Amino acid sequence: MCGIFGVIGKDNNSAQTVLNGLKKLEYRGYDSWGIAIKNNGQIKIERHVGKIGQAQTKLPQSTIGLGHTRWATHGGVTIGNAHPHLDCTKKLCLVHNGIVENFRSIKESLTKTHRFSSETDTEAALHLIEEKTKSGSFLKGFQKAFSQVHGMNAFIILNAKTNELFAIKNGSPLTIGLGKNENYISSDVWALLDHTNKVIFLEDNQMAHISQDSVKIFNVKTGKSIKPKITTLNWQAEQSKLGKFHHYMEKEIFDQPKVIDNLVRLDKKIIKKTADLISQTSKTYLLGCGTAYYAALVGEYLLNFLGIDANAIIGSEFSKNKNLLTQDKAFIMLSQSGETIDVIEAVNLAKKRKMPITAITNVLGSTLYRKADEKILLSAGQEVAVASTKAFTAKLAILLQVYYYLKGDLKAGKQLISQSAKVSQKIIKGKTRQLIKNIAKKIKDVDNMFVIARSLSFPIALETALKIKEVSYIHAEGYAAGELKHGPIALIDQDTPCIVIAPNDNTYTDTISSAHEVKARGGFIIGLSHENNPVFDEFIQVPDLKEATVIPNTVIAQLLAYDLAIARGLNPDKPRNLAKSVTVK
Ligand code: M6R
């Protein structure tokens, strides 16, 4: 949440470089944005409320600058609360990602001697830095101030007196990009790829001193210099271009057949490693947030089918399991970004308990990737749309392979997953695509809808409902089909849409019975199944691919959510109130 970016270099166009960086980081928050540069010894700032869109900058020439794209936490969405913020001397300028938990007490202690002009927690940290760096070494003062700040935070500061950038972090991510006579710092690597593929991932409690021709890293606690580890990435900036598509969500849905097909070719050794870990430990926890949690739930069902003790955990509810975490149990952490704070907190605790951790993530070099013992990359390419799509089905493709391996059936399993990619391709390109658009037009004005399913399809019902809520703002509830009659069926009214996921498995008959119960109360039934059934008002056919049917069923759900957003005149890529990477609690 919040994207921060800084540059210092030889060229005079730092404002433009920062603006381009912010456009890449905008998916991390789009309540407001701002840029600061130094020109003629003065810091000059521009700040705006709303999305960056096609904005241009009018800031003058400069070789040093920083910027911020905000997802509001403390203080409303106003120009005054937009970053960057300036200290009282107007020589220090700060951008921040995170939450200063003790901002009230810091502010109270400084309010008599410093001028505050926003409602943000950030400003408390800024004036504290100003106070602690008034005299003596800037680095030492910065370090002192940071040690008094509580919470998971990343800061970049522009010091106009010395013409340098400083950065510090604990929790929230920061990556330094190394250019030729130019260096960069950013919340994520995607914003650096236009400039360089040589990066340094700043670790927690590290501090960076960045000038045009050098980057020095220090340990915050000891102040000692650290030799930076430079990583060379082999990614390309083009991966994230929109091309012929209208929205990233659409592009990323269309990317899926290829992503899944590639994952089917994943080295058997990688699948074996995870499968062995699961078999050799007494219990497996699968943890994720939002969509990643629903993937974890699919993993739980699959492993439970095999008689393996496994539990999916919601990242933010992880504390209930704290007393159960012992080193004889395994952890599989799922996260597209690899930066979700609740996942990272769980990883930190699991590491302390010496539990083996496998990361399933899309971002090489992300915090989760770096902390895990074993890593499986989704290799899905950057996911830009806030709604997670291809990362979800990629996680399913991996979990299904682990399942089929443990079942002793990997070859046949790979064939089914490969088939699921072909079927998904047909769905997004063929007649089904138009059918989904028509259904979306028919139901676009409803206020509420349900998605029901049983067993392995239940997490898909939850994911379908999340996708619909997130991008179309229609209130959708995913429910275990059997649970509906224990209360929520009271909400079924004339024409309430109810998506029924009824694959050809041992739950089919019961799921169809649930559909009848909804229909008897006036519900409008949209069936996803291998065969038509008189209870369906609309029918989307999905061939039976055994467990791998979850993949095409998900693709249909994603397309329906996308089409609903379009039919309602919404931008599915940047839904209101959301941000892609959730790095605050
Ligand atoms: O990057 P992560 O996979 O850890 O993100 C987890 C959730 O924030 C994410 O899946 C969120 O629920 C999506 N917006 C759903 O589409």
Side-chain angles (χ1 to χ4, degrees), residues 493-533:
D493 212 343
Q494 196 58 38
D495 295 329
T496 307
C498 180
I499 300 173
V500 177
I501 307 176
N504 187 24
D505 60 23
N506 57 0
T507 66
Y508 178 76
T509 312
D510 289 343
T511 306
I512 294 296
S513 299
S514 305
H516 277 288
E517 290 155 16
V518 174
K519 192 163 172 116
R521 283 148 186 93
F524 178 77
I525 310 294
I526 302 160
L528 271 63
S529 190
H530 59 291
E531 60 180 20
N532 205 347
N533 188 291

Side-chain angles (χ1 to χ4, degrees), residues 14-133:
S14 67
Q16 188 57 47
T17 306
V18 172
L19 179 65
N20 295 344
L22 294 185
K23 285 183 179 172
K24 291 267 163 70
L25 293 172
E26 201 187 8
Y27 72 97
R28 302 178 69 90
Y30 31 83
D31 288 331
S32 64
W33 62 278
I35 302 175
I37 52 105
K38 182 188 157 194
N39 175 268
N40 281 337
Q42 307 283 323
I43 291 179
K44 306 227 159 98
I45 297 189
E46 67 167 315
R47 300 190 291 181
H48 307 268
V49 162
K51 300 186 177 83
I52 301 179
Q54 300 307 312
Q56 306 287 326
T57 174
K58 291 199 179 78
L59 285 172
Q61 293 200 326
S62 170
T63 55
I64 182 167
L66 46 66
H68 184 273
T69 174
R70 180 171 189 240
W71 188 83
T73 60
H74 294 60
V77 179
T78 61
I79 297 255
N81 289 332
H83 301 212
H85 292 283
L86 264 184
D87 77 336
C88 304
T89 68
K90 301 204 181 328
K91 294 291 176 201
L92 297 179
C93 182
L94 187 76
V95 289
H96 166 217
N97 171 25
I99 292 177
V100 178
E101 288 167 2
N102 55 336
F103 80 101
R104 262 182 223 292
S105 60
I106 297 177
K107 197 167 172 176
E108 270 162 25
S109 71
L110 298 172
T111 200
K112 285 200 183 114
T113 45
H114 290 256
R115 194 173 36 81
F116 284 81
S117 55
S118 80
E119 303 155 328
T120 63
D121 52 330
T122 307
E123 235 197 326
L126 172 62
H127 290 288
L128 183 65
I129 296 165
E130 179 190 353
E131 187 65 29
K132 300 284 174 201
T133 57

Side-chain angles (χ1 to χ4, degrees), residues 289-292 334-338 340 343 386-388 395 466-467 470 580 582:
C289 298
T291 288
L334 300 109
S335 171
Q336 188 283 131
S337 61
T340 301
V343 176
V386 164
S388 185
K395 286 175 203 131
L466 172 62
K467 233 44 348 146
E470 191 175 15
K580 178 106 187 128
V582 184

Side-chain angles (χ1 to χ4, degrees), residues 132-168:
K132 300 284 174 201
T133 57
K134 264 199 305 212
S135 56
S137 132
F138 184 85
L139 261 181
K140 281 212 173 108
F142 189 31
Q143 184 188 351
K144 249 189 212 154
F146 188 71
S147 67
Q148 291 181 19
V149 166
H150 299 168
M152 311 288 243
N153 293 291
F155 297 105
I156 310 176
I157 196 155
L158 189 164
N159 183 345
K161 287 183 240 164
T162 59
N163 210 43
E164 289 160 324
L165 293 175
F166 294 87
I168 205 159

Side-chain angles (χ1 to χ4, degrees), residues 254-325:
F254 275 63
D255 282 347
Q256 293 175 110
K258 207 167 156 212
V259 171
I260 294 161
D261 223 33
N262 284 338
L263 284 172
V264 174
R265 280 183 262 278
L266 200 68
D267 194 338
K268 187 177 165 185
K269 280 187 220 141
I270 297 176
I271 300 297
K272 180 178 181 314
K273 235 184 208 169
T274 307
D276 286 349
L277 181 70
I278 292 169
S279 329
Q280 285 156 13
T281 44
S282 66
K283 183 180 181 104
T284 300
Y285 291 108
L286 301 110
L287 181 140
C289 298
T291 288
Y293 166 68
Y294 297 142
L297 207 52
V298 169
E300 175 187 302
Y301 272 85
L302 289 171
L303 294 177
N304 289 175
F305 289 163
L306 297 172
I308 294 171
D309 191 0
N311 259 157
I313 310 176
I314 298 175
S316 55
E317 288 297 318
F318 155 75
S319 62
K320 82 170 163 64
N321 297 82
K322 267 185 185 164
N323 296 335
L324 303 170
L325 301 181

Side-chain angles (χ1 to χ4, degrees), residues 182-238:
E182 189 147 75
N183 291 309
Y184 313 84
I185 181 153
S186 165
S187 291
D188 73 30
V189 285
W190 304 110
L192 298 172
L193 292 179
D194 282 332
H195 306 286
T196 180
N197 63 348
K198 291 208 172 355
V199 300
I200 299 168
F201 295 107
L202 207 62
E203 299 296 346
D204 282 352
N205 295 308
Q206 287 187 352
M207 187 164 64
H209 174 190
I210 307 168
S211 54
Q212 179 184 325
D213 46 18
S214 79
V215 172
K216 292 178 191 143
I217 312 285
F218 302 89
N219 180 307
V220 175
K221 290 190 176 139
T222 62
K224 282 198 180 135
S225 160
I226 297 168
K227 190 167 178 250
K229 186 175 166 235
I230 299 171
T231 304
T232 305
L233 303 167
N234 61 356
W235 306 345
Q236 278 148 25
E238 302 85 71

